[in-house]
């Protein structure tokens, strides 16, 4: 019905804007860079230098959580 399209228009406009932003090549390149950095950090985190230092290990865990939040936001935006 026409009323449903009218009611959903703001949501659809937001979905289109979010989709356009998240699929922009610059955003995709930033996400790719973050994935590469995260992979390198995960590899470094396995070295005894990091494992044996509780303070450094904690910093790596915090940074890993930040990456998790960023990737979750990006994935959620892709689903919309």
């Amino acid at each position: 019905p026409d009323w449903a399209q009218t009611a959903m228009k703001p949501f659809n406009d937001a979905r289109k804007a979010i989709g356009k932003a998240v699929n922009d090549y610059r955003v995709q390149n930033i996400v790719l860079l973050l994935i590469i950095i995260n992979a390198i950090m995960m590899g470094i985190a396995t070295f005894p230098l990091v494992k044996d230092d509780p303070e450094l290990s904690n910093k790596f865990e915090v940074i890993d959580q930040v990456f998790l939040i960023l990737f979750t936001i990006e994935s959620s935006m892709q689903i919309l």
Side-chain angles (χ1 to χ4, degrees):
D2 190 39
W3 64 270
Q5 288 178 337
T6 304
M8 295 301 289
K9 184 168 179 12
F11 181 72
N12 287 335
D13 292 344
R15 280 186 60 219
K16 287 178 186 176
I18 290 170
K20 186 175 180 180
V22 78
N23 290 315
D24 184 84
Y25 75 95
R26 292 169 288 206
V27 173
Q28 291 298 308
N29 286 339
I30 290 170
V31 170
L32 181 60
L33 179 64
L34 290 174
I35 291 170
I36 292 168
I37 292 169
N38 185 238
I40 291 169
M41 289 193 67
M42 288 174 67
I44 293 170
T46 65
F47 285 96
L49 169 76
V50 177
K51 280 184 165 182
D52 298 339
D53 183 349
E55 186 178 332
L56 189 56
S57 181
N58 187 43
K59 288 180 183 177
F60 269 73
E61 287 181 32
V62 169
I63 292 170
D64 191 50
Q65 290 296 314
V66 170
F67 278 115
L68 177 62
I69 291 167
L70 291 173
F71 294 145
T72 301
I73 291 170
E74 190 265 343
S75 295
S76 299
M77 291 173 71
Q78 287 285 356
I79 291 171
L80 288 176

